[in-house]
Structure formats: C-alpha cells, structure tokens
Amino acid sequence: MMSAKDGNNKKVKKEKIPRTPMPQQDPQVRARNFEEVATGYSEEDALREASRCLQCRNPRCVKGCPVEIDIKDFIKLISEKKFEESLEKIREKNTLPAICGRVCPQEDQCEKECILGIKDDPVAIGRLERYVADREFKRLSDLDKECVYLDGKHKCTREKVAVIGSGPAGLTCAAELAKKGYRVTVFEALHKSGGVLVYGIPEFRLPKAIVQKEIDYLRSMDVDLRVNMVMGKILTLDDLFQDGYKAIFISTGAGLPYFMGIPGENLNGVYSANEYLTRSNLMKAYKFPQCDTPIMKGEKVAVVGGGNVAMDSARTALRLGAKKVYLVYRRSEAEMPARNEEIEHAREEGIDFKVLNNPVEIIGRDGWVDRLKLIKMELGEPDDSGRRRPIPIKGSEYELDVDVVIMAIGQGPNPLLTSTIPGLKLNSRGNIAADPETGKTSVRGVFAGGDIVTGAATVILAMGAGRKAAAAIDDYLRTGKW
Ligand SMILES: Cc1cc2nc3c(=O)[nH]c(=O)nc-3n(C[C@H](O)[C@H](O)[C@H](O)COP(=O)(O)OP(=O)(O)OC[C@H]3O[C@@H](n4cnc5c(N)ncnc54)[C@H](O)[C@@H]3O)c2cc1C
Ligand code: SF4
C-alpha cells in the first residue's frame, strides 16, 4: 500500500501500482518502417492505469493542462468503463484528443503537476487520453460510420467567420465557433488540412489516418474546409470582409525555415527539415516513383538541431534507408528541447548523437554534399534562454563523410499573408502582435493565434490560442465591441 496526499492535503491510501508502460514496436524493426512506434494501450492497460489516479479533490493535473481538460473526471469515467462518456468529457475542452494524446509534451504539463509524480511516476494521462479517442474511432469504423459522428445534425446559421490556416490553432478555433453556431470557412494553402500535423510530424509518430478522423469530426460540425487557397495571393482579407465574413482568425503557423548562414548551404543534398519532412509525409516521397515527389535518401545523413523537428528528420532518414544518421547539436543532451520520449526513441533506433558539436561548413564535390565540417563546443554561462551558452573549442574542427545535410534549427513566420494586411502590427521577429487572452490584433475584426503569434511552440498551446480566440470572436460578434 502507498499513502499520498491528494490536492486537499488529505491522506489517500492506494495499492502501489507501477505506471503502465506503452506497448511499442521493437526498435530494430521499427527503425525501418513508417508504422506507428507506440501501439497503444489495451483495455486492461487503460483500466490498470486509470486505477492509479487518486481522484484528488483539488486536482493539480488540470492546472498543468493549457486547455484545462477535466482530467480527474475523464479518468474516473475510464475506470467505470464509460469510455464514450470519457471521450465526451475530454471533447468539452479539446477537439483533437487522439492527436494530443500522441504528441503533447505531457511530461512538462499535466503529468508534471500530477501529485503521484512527487514520489512515484505520474498517471499516464496522455496515454489514457489517446486510448479513449482511439477506442471511439475503432467503434465507429466497426460500425462503418467513418465520418458521420453527428449524423449531419449540427447546422450552423450565425454570422460567417473565416479561419486562415488549418493547423491545430485554426482547427480548434473553427470547431469552437461551429459549436456556437457560426458558419466557419477554413482556408488552407496546402492540398490537405492539418498544418504541421500532416506535413511535419511523421506517420510513425502520428498516423495521418488519425488526423483525418479528427478532421472528419470537424466537418461533421458543418465546418467548410477549403484547400489550395494561398491567402494573400488568391484572396486578401478585404476580399473576405467584402464577401460577408464578419471576423477573421489568422493561424498560419511558423513555416519558414531558418538556415545557419554557413558556406555550402546551397549545395545539392542540403534540405531544410521543413522541405524534407513535407516531401516524405505530405507528398509520400518514400513511395517514389509510385508517388511523383522524389527525395534524396542519403547513405550518411547529418541532421542539425536538437528539437522535435530534428528528431523527426533523423528518424525519417533512417526509415528512408540511410546506413548512418548523425544528430549534430551544439549544446549537451540536457539542453535538448525535444521531448524525452523522442530522444529515447531516436537513441534506441541507432541515431548517432554528436552533442557539443556545431557545423562550420558543408563541403561539396561537383555541386553535391560530400562532407560536413564540425567544431567541438563546451558550455559556458547561461544565456538569455536560461540554457548554458555553447562556446567553440579553438582548433577542434574535424570532418564527417555525409551525402545529405538536414537543417532543423528552427522556423519562423511566413510574411506572404501578413505583408498584404495594411495596419497589421508585427513584432521584431515578424510574428503578429496579438493579445494573448483574446487573439485581437491591431486590425478591427482580425484575430490571430498559434505559432504565427508565439513563434514555433506546441500543438496544445496553438489549440489553447484557438479556443481563446473563438470565445473573443463570439464576444465581438455579439457586442460589436472591439
Ligand atoms: C516536425 C515537427 C514536429 C513537431 N512535433 C511536435 C510535438 O511532438 N508536440 C508538439 O506539441 N508540437 C510539435 N511541433 C510543433 C507544433 O506542431 C506546432 O506548434 C503547431 O502545429 C502550431 O500550430 P498552428 O496551428 O499555429 O500552425 P501550423 O500547424 O503550422 O498550421 C498552419 C497552417 O497554415 C497554413 N498556411 C500558411 N500560410 C497560409 C496562407 N497564406 N494561406 C492559407 N494557409 C496558410 C499552412 O499551410 C499550415 O497548414 C512540431 C513541429 C514540427 C514542424
Ligand atoms: S491525474 Fe494525478 S493529480 Fe490528477 S487527479 Fe489523478 S492523481 Fe490527482
């Protein structure tokens, strides 16, 4: 038996049950296929894990969730085997549970706050969230009712609202507005909706069929999704207002890749992570020539960066057939911004971590990448980001044989749309200046949220911004007050 204090400082006795591990594919096997790495809880696993929750009177976990899901209640419903009700409970606050259950950094959010985490492992909240969402998808497909969640019953009749960009911020804002009865049109530049969820995060972490099901759910709420609409080029904001849209939410993300500015970045075989992942995920280049888009697979690949984008690129390169994949990061592993789980998975699959190393030049032969020159680094005092500053060690340069280099050092806002909006205030990095509580911008009737406001962040923060903006748009359209 173990004794813990719940959120109300009362002692609760529970049998100590270890955190239920996530079943996953064997690292040797999965490193060469694109199937999902984590295969998901069984009902038995979910019930066991749910039984670990202390049902605190004052649940700290909820405070750690950016969209404040009623975590304690949805877990209780699982332990009562009320799986559909549990999903409904989650959907009150989160319209994309199957996605969040897979990609949210729970270890830094709800699970970080879970009371059990003080002396033991926290409840696996994300895995339980994923379980109830997947279970419902399975139930619906067994019924052969793929996208009729609401049976076309939900009809929107209120004012027209436009959402630009269909990533998690735009999809959440659209769903929340549709729930309130607004007629929402989502305009997406690419040929598929979903933003980074479809073009960035690979299949083996987030199957595209799962994203599609969440999008189908949205469609069943009477949301109109229009693809191949590069806004700012095809239509401007003025065109939308003239067409009767009463408010506009901009959620165009951070899709413009950064490069290091070192010699050799123009060589053939150098990719931005954004292009590399888009080719593989969205355009299915791994199936070339059956699919039209090619990709340079590479025998020896170097990925530069230490975030989720770098891990995804390295693990994709391995699955595309590279014999050796290096991950080059200028700080130490402790400073890596990627989720711990992703770092662990990458290591298990055989990615060679070159930490405390920084590229100084990409060396070519006949116009193609041939070698990567690196310099070794050491850590100095913390910089503005709070992380210890990497300092080059003089004379420590050396070269690695590589034929593909992927730059995954960050991405920023694309000015294609924002540059066409007169009076729209941007910050010094080119992100839209918007009120963090409402998403209001400097232009009346125009709201913004997600990565286009915050810079590259997380799925759940983008969703939180979409939710807040939907509430503010509703308020604006009801009161007319700006
Ligand atoms: C490879 C990768 C892995 C990641 N892994 C994780 C993870 O594991 N966990 C996590 O929480 N976060 C992760 N992130 C970050 C997360 O995906 C983003 O923070 C989140 O998607 C931002 O959502 P958004 O809606 O603001 O923008 P996005 O998802 O970027 O969506 C913006 C959409 O707007 C569209 N658009 C852009 N310009 C226009 C235009 N002019 N007209 C019409 N449409 C336009 C784009 O095509 C895109 O579809 C990852 C990011 C990447 C790139
Ligand atoms: S998940 Fe953790 S913090 Fe939340 S109610 Fe259960 S035990 Fe308490």
Side-chain angles (χ1 to χ4, degrees), residues 356-360 373-377 392-393 395-397:
L356 288 168
N357 277 269
N358 206 25
V360 285
K373 189 189 247 186
L374 301 171
I375 187 162
K376 295 194 174 165
M377 312 289 279
I393 302 174
S396 65
E397 290 91 343

Side-chain angles (χ1 to χ4, degrees), residues 103 165 167-169 188-189 195-196 205 229 231 252-253 277 312 450-451 457-459:
V103 302
E188 167 56 50
V196 168
R205 241 174 14 97
M229 293 297 290
M231 304 302 278
T252 46
L277 292 172
D312 284 344
D451 282 5
T458 61
V459 170

